[in-house]
Structures are given as C-alpha cells and as structure tokens.
Amino acid sequence: DGGITQSPKYLFRKEGQNVTLSCEQNLNHDAMYWYRQDPGQGLRLIYYSQIVNDFQKGDIAEGYSVSREKKESFPLTVTSAQKNPTAFYLCASSTRMGNGYTFGSGTRLTVV
Amino acid sequence: KQEVTQIPAALSVPEGENLVLNCSFTDSAIYNLQWFRQDPGKGLTSLLLIQSSQREQTSGRLNASLDKSSGRSTLYIAASQPGDSATYLCAVTDSGNTPLVFGKGTRLSVIA
C-alpha cells in the first residue's frame, strides 16, 4: 500500500542535542512538507520541498534543518538552536500541483 | 499573507444532529480548499477537496461548499454519529505549488 511513514512515533531529546525525524513516502509524490502542531495552534509550516535537492523555508524554520537527497525521503533535524521543540511533528506529501495531500501518523517530540 | 479562521473552536452535539463547521480565509485568490479530519494523536485524513472553480463537493454524509468571493467554506455533516468525533481542519493553497495554510480546527464531540 502507498503511504507515508514517519519514525519514530515518540522521541525524547535532551537539552543541547540534535535529533532527526524520519519521513519516507512511496506515493511517487514530488512535493514533501514538514508541519509542527502545538495544542490550540493548528499546523504551522517548517520546511517544504518540491523537487529533489531543493527546499524552502516555511513560517517557523529557525532551529530546524532538512535535506532532500532522494524523492522518497525528507528528514527533519531539530537542532539545539530550537528552544522550544516539544510538539507533534507531521510530514506530508503531494503531487507537484498540490493535489493528493497525504499525511504521516506523526512524531511526538519531548524535551527531557 | 493568507490566514484561515475556523469557527467554532469546539462543538458538542447529540447524536443524529446535522451540523455545520465554518472556515474563512483572507485572500480569495485560492487554488483549492481542503477539509481534513484528525483523531487525537494521529495524522490528518483528507475528507474533501474543492478546486477554486467548484462550488461544492460531497462524500457520503459530508458536503463541503466554497464561496470564493466571500472567502468562506462550510462543512456540513448530516446525521452525526459518535464516530464523527474528531478535530476538523480547513486548509487552502494559493497556487498549485505552494503549501497548504491551515486553520486551527474545530474540535467536534458527538454525544451518544
């Protein structure tokens, strides 16, 4: 079955650590996205990529980094510069024209 | 900058009622509008997509309408069931290759 896989489901980060969230899709979608969800805040865009080896900052990119070396993969690194990383992170993909949006099941990141 | 607002933030209804969820957006030059459902701690599931040239879309007990000129959409749920309890999110994109902008969602509870 085609879909998006996010891992891990839960992640704990110590102060000062970088952590990487995985996102893999087998839908042959060109575009991939990372959103952050906080209680009562809706979804806010972190980064997006419309093609391999290219990506753009979203509204809240500070403290995050991404790469897009393969069409299927769009990992997100939460760096130590992100001061409040505790949140629910959602990865999505779509066709290049913005159709067929499909979301992963999310990663819940907690700072300990 | 596009902004999406959803009213009400939360809604509780008895089983069997018909209900309407509202979504408004500030820039009427949209490419499409989508409604999603999110269960607690889960990813998003696409419910309905309305292209800018369309006025409504229907899927089972769900009907979504779009009035682009006034910047509004409604999601109508007929004969509500406890299984409809979830958060419903509205999102728009300004063009085929820009990411979705989300509202904060409406949290629906259907009481048996």
Side-chain angles (χ1 to χ4, degrees):
Chain A
D1 286 338
I4 293 186
T5 301
Q6 288 189 242
S7 62
K9 188 173 178 66
Y10 299 97
L11 186 58
F12 297 91
R13 190 193 95 165
K14 294 182 180 179
E15 295 282 352
Q17 268 188 342
N18 293 351
V19 292
T20 298
L21 284 60
S22 171
C23 178
E24 304 274 338
Q25 55 99 359
N26 61 3
L27 298 164
N28 199 33
H29 281 167
D30 289 302
M32 297 187 74
Y33 315 85
W34 275 105
Y35 288 91
R36 169 178 171 146
Q37 188 175 34
D38 295 282
Q41 292 292 321
L43 275 70
R44 293 183 290 170
L45 182 68
I46 305 173
Y47 269 99
Y48 67 103
S49 168
Q50 294 173 313
I51 196 168
V52 173
N53 292 324
D54 187 44
F55 48 82
Q56 285 78 41
K57 293 181 179 180
D59 299 320
I60 56 166
E62 185 175 352
Y64 300 96
S65 66
V66 293
S67 63
R68 186 88 187 275
E69 297 176 1
K70 299 186 301 181
K71 186 175 184 178
E72 302 80 16
S73 179
F74 192 40
L76 174 74
T77 296
V78 184
T79 74
S80 57
Q82 172 51 241
K83 298 306 178 188
N84 185 22
T86 295
F88 189 51
Y89 291 86
L90 286 161
C91 178
S93 71
S94 74
T95 66
R96 188 175 300 181
M97 292 308 291
N99 294 317
Y101 257 84
T102 303
F103 279 80
S105 57
T107 293
R108 187 166 298 280
L109 173 63
T110 303
V111 174
V112 297
Chain B
K1 180 184 174 186
Q2 180 76 266
E3 293 183 1
V4 179
T5 302
Q6 291 187 246
I7 295 173
L11 181 64
S12 183
V13 300
E15 182 178 5
E17 268 203 10
N18 302 326
L19 59 100
V20 174
L21 307 181
N22 296 294
C23 171
S24 62
F25 44 95
T26 54
D27 186 345
S28 62
I30 63 169
Y31 178 73
N32 66 41
L33 181 145
Q34 300 188 43
W35 283 94
F36 293 87
R37 169 185 172 138
Q38 185 179 30
D39 293 295
K42 306 292 185 184
L44 277 65
T45 300
S46 179
L47 297 174
L48 290 164
L49 181 152
I50 309 178
Q51 300 289 357
S52 61
S53 59
Q54 297 175 319
R55 295 299 299 264
E56 65 177 342
Q57 283 285 344
T58 298
S59 176
R61 294 183 293 109
L62 304 180
N63 176 276
S65 68
L66 173 65
D67 184 344
K68 215 173 69 162
S69 61
S70 67
R72 297 185 181 190
S73 175
T74 61
L75 179 66
Y76 175 82
I77 302 177
S80 59
Q81 304 170 357
D84 295 330
S85 298
T87 296
Y88 291 82
L89 294 125
C90 170
V92 299
T93 182
D94 297 339
S95 71
N97 56 4
T98 56
L100 288 172
V101 176
F102 283 84
K104 295 183 178 181
T106 294
R107 188 173 66 253
L108 173 65
S109 298
V110 181
I111 310 300

